[in-house]
Amino acid sequence: MTPKPRAPGRQPQEPPDPAGPAAPLCSLSRLVQEFVAQNNTVQIKHVIQTLSQEFALSQHPHSRKGGLIGLAACSIALGKDIVTESNKFDLVGFIPLLRERIYSNNQYARQFIISWILVLESVPDINLLDYLPEILDGLFQILGDNGKEIRKMCEVVLGEFLKEIKKNPSSVKFAEMANILVIHCQTTDENIGTLTF
């Protein structure tokens, strides 16, 4: 018996990656670390530029999210230990640092903070929703940034938190966030006014 020919343009479906959804992040991070070890700044810039222009600014939400997460993986590879591979990552100790730096007015610092939050949100064993009241005000501050790219990244982060809130409303600390939400709902900033919580 001869196998049936596939319809033109159809590809066989790939089996799921046994390493899980974090495998591409780790691969990208390792690639950037190799470029750093080789002092290959041209390739590092190329990877970041591709992720930024072709994915992070895409009109398609999945491409945009993938690009932002890829940028977060790059930022970690360029400056921090990879928390997704560490069993000793101290989230409780990290949150005060995140809370303190989230109020930075520096555009690059804001991008870095948002990238960290995206990476932490993508790690299955980390429940960042528990710490949302501590960083929510800072996220709203970033949402008012003049930079379009930073606002888009922040919108993605807030959208991810909103999905988590809808999935697990009983684990959300609404009372701790109520005042923050009331204050920011009264703002004249149109970027914040368009959010639906």
Side-chain angles (χ1 to χ4, degrees), residues 37-52:
Q38 299 164 0
N39 200 24
N40 191 341
T41 56
V42 172
Q43 285 293 3
I44 294 169
K45 287 179 183 177
H46 176 72
V47 168
I48 291 172
Q49 186 175 25
T50 301
L51 287 169
S52 298

Side-chain angles (χ1 to χ4, degrees), residues 44-84:
I44 294 169
K45 287 179 183 177
H46 176 72
V47 168
I48 291 172
Q49 186 175 25
T50 301
L51 287 169
S52 298
Q53 293 176 353
E54 294 183 24
F55 293 98
L57 296 177
S58 170
Q59 296 299 315
H60 302 287
H62 295 296
S63 296
R64 186 170 54 240
K65 181 180 177 186
L68 294 172
I69 290 172
L71 286 170
C74 287
S75 68
I76 291 170
L78 291 171
K80 303 287 181 187
D81 292 329
I82 302 174
V83 298
T84 57

Side-chain angles (χ1 to χ4, degrees), residues 11-171:
Q11 300 295 325
Q13 197 170 25
E14 292 183 20
D17 188 344
L25 277 179
C26 294
S27 298
L28 179 62
S29 190
R30 276 191 223 107
L31 178 69
V32 172
Q33 285 176 331
E34 287 175 20
F35 291 151
V36 169
Q38 299 164 0
N39 200 24
N40 191 341
T41 56
V42 172
Q43 285 293 3
I44 294 169
K45 287 179 183 177
H46 176 72
V47 168
I48 291 172
Q49 186 175 25
T50 301
L51 287 169
S52 298
Q53 293 176 353
E54 294 183 24
F55 293 98
L57 296 177
S58 170
Q59 296 299 315
H60 302 287
H62 295 296
S63 296
R64 186 170 54 240
K65 181 180 177 186
L68 294 172
I69 290 172
L71 286 170
C74 287
S75 68
I76 291 170
L78 291 171
K80 303 287 181 187
D81 292 329
I82 302 174
V83 298
T84 57
E85 294 181 357
S86 172
N87 294 329
K88 297 180 181 178
F89 180 69
D90 181 14
L91 184 63
V92 174
F94 181 73
I95 291 297
L97 296 171
L98 184 65
R99 185 181 57 234
E100 176 186 322
R101 286 169 176 78
I102 203 166
Y103 289 102
S104 171
N105 289 325
N106 181 294
Q107 186 176 25
Y108 299 107
R110 284 180 163 187
Q111 283 180 319
F112 191 72
I113 292 295
I114 293 293
S115 297
W116 263 105
I117 293 170
L118 279 168
V119 168
L120 292 172
E121 247 321 271
S122 71
V123 178
D125 296 338
I126 294 179
N127 184 8
L128 210 54
L129 195 58
D130 288 343
Y131 302 97
L132 182 57
E134 297 184 49
I135 61 173
L136 185 61
D137 182 61
L139 288 171
F140 281 132
Q141 297 289 330
I142 292 174
L143 190 62
D145 193 275
N146 293 329
K148 181 180 178 182
E149 183 178 332
I150 293 174
R151 285 195 313 266
K152 279 191 170 190
M153 289 173 70
C154 193
E155 286 173 10
V156 170
V157 167
L158 289 168
E160 289 302 310
F161 277 122
L162 187 55
K163 284 181 198 170
E164 289 297 315
I165 288 169
K166 287 179 178 178
K167 274 198 279 186
N168 293 315
S170 61
S171 68

